Amino acid sequence: MVTYPLVNQSCVWDIVEATGFLDFGCGGCTMDTPSTIDIICPCCQVRLTIDLGLNAVIHHEPAAKATPSMDLQAALGALKSQANRREAQFQQALVAEREKGKVLERKFEEFLKKAKEDRSPPSPRPIDLA
């Protein structure tokens, strides 16, 4: 298996053609031509294994993710700030829930007042039309 770095972010098949692996001459593989090649993407460092006979990607190996470097004090500070933020959101939700009853009561009074002022006859029911 031969490994080639991907030099630009164009189509993988353009790179395979540029390396000359798809030019088999008489239509068959020779002994020097590998059946698969590895290509490494420069932007995400993903390793692709391409089968030249099938013209397909047969294996995809994601790059290893780097672990964030954070010391213990910074991590503790981040946890405390998240806890403070959650507590503030909880207090806001608690106040909103307490005020919810007053808001609903006020809306009910407005609709009741509007219903008493409206003296129009009720609309006919479909059962009465028959």
Side-chain angles (χ1 to χ4, degrees):
M1 190 176 332
V2 181
T3 302
Y4 291 94
L6 188 60
V7 292
N8 60 19
Q9 295 180 15
S10 66
C11 179
V12 172
W13 298 114
D14 292 341
I15 302 301
V16 172
E17 289 173 355
T19 58
F21 284 112
L22 292 182
D23 185 20
F24 297 128
C26 65
C29 290
T30 63
M31 294 301 280
D32 329 12
T33 307
S35 62
T36 62
I37 61 170
D38 285 343
I39 296 178
I40 301 170
C41 179
C43 62
C44 60
Q45 302 304 316
V46 171
R47 180 181 299 267
L48 300 172
T49 303
I50 300 173
D51 188 333
L52 297 175
L54 299 174
N55 288 340
V57 176
I58 58 172
H59 184 70
H60 172 269
E61 183 179 327
K65 294 182 180 179
T67 58
S69 59
M70 185 182 289
D71 63 342
L72 189 57
Q73 294 298 327
L76 186 60
L79 284 175
K80 285 182 180 179
S81 68
Q82 288 176 359
N84 291 337
R85 183 178 49 83
R86 283 193 308 269
E87 181 64 28
Q89 287 178 344
F90 175 73
Q91 291 300 325
Q92 286 177 346
L94 188 62
V95 168
E97 191 66 30
R98 286 181 181 159
E99 297 295 320
K100 187 177 179 180
K102 293 178 184 176
V103 170
L104 290 174
E105 186 178 326
R106 180 70 179 148
K107 284 183 180 181
F108 178 74
E109 288 174 2
E110 288 296 320
F111 284 123
L112 187 62
K113 181 178 163 185
K114 186 177 178 182
K116 286 182 181 178
E117 291 175 356
D118 188 18
R119 298 289 183 195
S120 63
S123 59
R125 299 180 299 177
I127 191 95
D128 293 338
L129 297 176

